Amino acid sequence: MGKTSKLIDLILHSRYVNYRIIAAFDVLLSVISTSLVLAFTNSFFKMNISWGNSLKILGLSLIVSILSFWALRTYRGIIRHSGLLESFRLLMASLFKVLFLTVIVYLIGKSFSERSILILSACDFFITFCLLLLFRLAIIFVYRFVNANAYNSNVLRLVLVYVGDDTTSPLGTDLLEGLSRSYGIVGYLRFGKKISLRLGRHPLFSIENGDDFNKLIKEKHIHSILFTKREDINNERERLVRLCEKNHIQMLQLPSINKVGEPGKPMLRRLPEVKIEDLLGRPEIKLDMQEVIDELKGKVVMVTGAAGSIGSELCRQLCTFGLKRLVLFDAAETPMHNIRLELEEKFPDMEIFPIVGDVRIPARVEYVISEHRPYAIFHAAAYKHVPLMEENPCEAVLANVVGTRIVADTAVKYGVERFVMISTDKAVNPTNVMGASKRLAEIYVQTLSMSISKGEIEGKTKFITTRFGNVLGSNGSVIPRFREQIEKGGPVTVTHPEIIRFFMTIPEACRLVLEAAVMGQGNEIFVFDMGTPVKIADLARRMIDQAGLTPDVDIKIEYTGLRPGEKLYEELLATKENTLPTPNKKIFRAHVREYEREEVVASIDRLKVVAETVDRVATVREMKRIVPEFKSKNSIYEELDKETTSK
């Protein structure tokens, strides 16, 4: 059994049989064909071809067969993937062989009549072609039989391949068979009226509603639905995803073709599951980055917070733009080391300067900017975790407000052309310290930009602020946490049954930041179209469903209550602001009210002094004075709002 199993495994997973073996079999079959023709014609047509002449003809058949098959490369194709083109190649090779043989026999065979030569040629052509074709069909049959039956007891997943409306060019099932013997392809699936069709070797199943779907998966014992294109996931009607989740049907995504069967690499044994970020109800935002590339190519660019989730992705994308130099600035040593190694490996020709430093230290910031003179600065350095900053408001002020001020002032001093600040939707009508600190940073940057435009301050820096919501996969974000909790068997913790959030992937958020950086003319706050907000409890249920488990049965969902500073929903615009369109339909410009610079500077000076005393309550009280719309939620600082109301 062991040797048989190894043989079967070799048949299934060998890339192809050595072409010399195929060529040898082709030539052997061709010569056998000629010998059969000689025997046939001698018996039925009484041609009386002598043994000597028969041997000569067989020798000639050997030579012309080798030449014909070599000329048409009949042995080069992978037989189990053979199609009409390969059949035509065999037909032409058989024809060439017989033509060569006929001409040679006619020239040297004085004793042969034209009639006998024509009979020999016609029979030889027909039998040669048939034997070559049958040989390949036999190999295909054996391969498919073994593939379908040898591991029948080990097949883990029966799969339907979703094809949508495209039934003209379904994915070849041979490719699917090559990906994994753990998945058995049952057929193709689409929405539509029931029709009897086959696509290749498999049937096409049409469903019109959930009942049809339920009946089909039960009859065929379906475990998984395979999407062959990324857009199938993004544009598919929500009902298919919901039907899969309801019936605990695993959703799979075919890897890109460059990851399948690369030379020197084994074929994939398992298919990756669809990521939850693909199921958030909207297609990924695609942008033409050429304008951004044209703007930044050959320039020096600096990224603060370069080792963080957003900062590191900005660095990855910027490295593809042909920059003169990329300056990485971050206080976190180990993450900085990691992103440096990654960028140097992926972009060996890129000039990268990783610098460990803190935006709160003016001398360090000035050294970096004066030394490298960046054309643009992307300011992503910030403390961002809401509950943590609620407990450490003084640090939030010093990093997010004072740190932004130091970098912005230094950028103006050394003639940086563009300064892009990464802000958050939590800065709008803030209910927590983190959001309020980012709003204060926005206000300072706005007033600085307005002062430059009015000529009150000498400088040329264009300040652009970008706001967006939660990014998937960022450090400490909800989806990685849910995954960990599901892997541990639960419970999955959600703060509130009705809490909703906007979501965006890190790469698309960074693309929008880069687009806004080039689009902005200074003193703008750009707001991104985040799509439809997602209820976090629904997201948790869908993730549990995708894991093949039942929410509240296999994995419990627990509601822990809103955390300090957390609100049920986030806004992208304050109530006193409105938006204006931009050339990019995914980016809007917020029309914001102006502030008096002298008053803002004096207020932040006072706030800095208070924060440095490490007096949490006094620091938050001062923040609320500067930002009156800052109303705390689920926080000890709500008492401060009562003080303001009583006054």
Side-chain angles (χ1 to χ4, degrees), residues 173-373:
T173 53
D174 289 318
L175 176 58
L176 298 176
E177 289 166 357
L179 284 172
S180 176
R181 70 188 185 207
S182 297
Y183 291 88
I185 310 304
V186 175
Y188 296 95
L189 177 68
R190 70 162 195 154
F191 281 105
K193 292 184 178 179
K194 296 179 181 179
I195 53 176
S196 180
L197 283 179
R198 293 186 71 86
L199 301 182
R201 295 188 293 111
H202 295 292
L204 172 65
F205 298 103
S206 299
I207 59 172
E208 297 184 40
N209 50 49
D211 291 337
D212 290 345
F213 182 80
N214 295 340
K215 183 179 178 182
L216 178 62
I217 63 172
K218 288 178 182 177
E219 286 182 354
K220 302 299 180 182
H221 307 288
I222 301 301
H223 296 89
S224 308
I225 301 294
L226 172 64
F227 294 87
T228 60
K229 300 175 184 176
R230 181 64 59 180
E231 52 267 29
D232 287 341
I233 302 292
N234 293 332
N235 299 327
E236 175 46 42
R237 281 166 272 188
E238 188 72 10
R239 58 177 171 165
L240 180 57
V241 172
R242 294 302 185 192
L243 287 171
C244 289
E245 292 173 344
K246 184 178 179 180
N247 291 277
H248 305 297
I249 300 300
Q250 185 184 42
M251 286 170 281
L252 304 173
Q253 174 68 54
L254 191 69
S256 59
I257 194 67
N258 62 346
K259 293 183 180 179
V260 179
E262 295 180 32
K265 294 185 179 180
M267 298 295 283
L268 296 179
R269 295 301 180 109
R270 292 188 61 83
L271 296 172
E273 289 192 37
V274 176
K275 295 180 180 178
I276 191 69
E277 43 265 57
D278 293 325
L279 308 175
L280 291 176
R282 63 171 177 81
E284 186 179 10
I285 298 172
K286 301 290 186 181
L287 298 174
D288 182 4
M289 302 302 292
Q290 191 56 50
E291 186 179 358
V292 181
I293 294 172
D294 293 341
E295 177 76 18
L296 299 179
K297 188 174 183 179
K299 307 263 188 7
V300 177
V301 175
M302 176 177 168
V303 178
T304 70
S309 302
I310 294 293
S312 61
E313 179 61 25
L314 277 172
C315 291
R316 293 183 190 98
Q317 295 191 24
L318 286 165
C319 281
T320 66
F321 292 174
L323 304 181
K324 178 182 178 181
R325 184 184 313 138
L326 179 62
V327 180
L328 284 62
F329 190 81
D330 202 296
E333 176 200 14
T334 299
M336 173 70 91
H337 176 67
N338 294 336
I339 188 63
R340 173 190 191 170
L341 293 178
E342 178 188 335
L343 295 179
E344 288 179 344
E345 179 180 354
K346 290 182 178 178
F347 309 100
D349 298 328
M350 183 70 213
E351 189 177 352
I352 297 171
F353 275 81
I355 297 173
V356 176
D358 195 321
V359 294
R360 294 170 291 189
I361 303 176
R364 188 60 172 162
V365 172
E366 181 161 4
Y367 164 76
V368 175
I369 295 177
S370 63
E371 181 75 14
H372 293 280
R373 300 295 177 108

Side-chain angles (χ1 to χ4, degrees), residues 583-601:
N584 188 319
K585 64 181 181 180
K586 294 293 183 181
I587 302 176
F588 301 92
R589 184 162 63 89
H591 180 69
V592 295
R593 61 186 181 274
E594 296 183 15
Y595 294 82
E596 292 294 331
R597 174 167 170 75
E598 290 183 2
E599 182 180 340
V600 169
V601 170

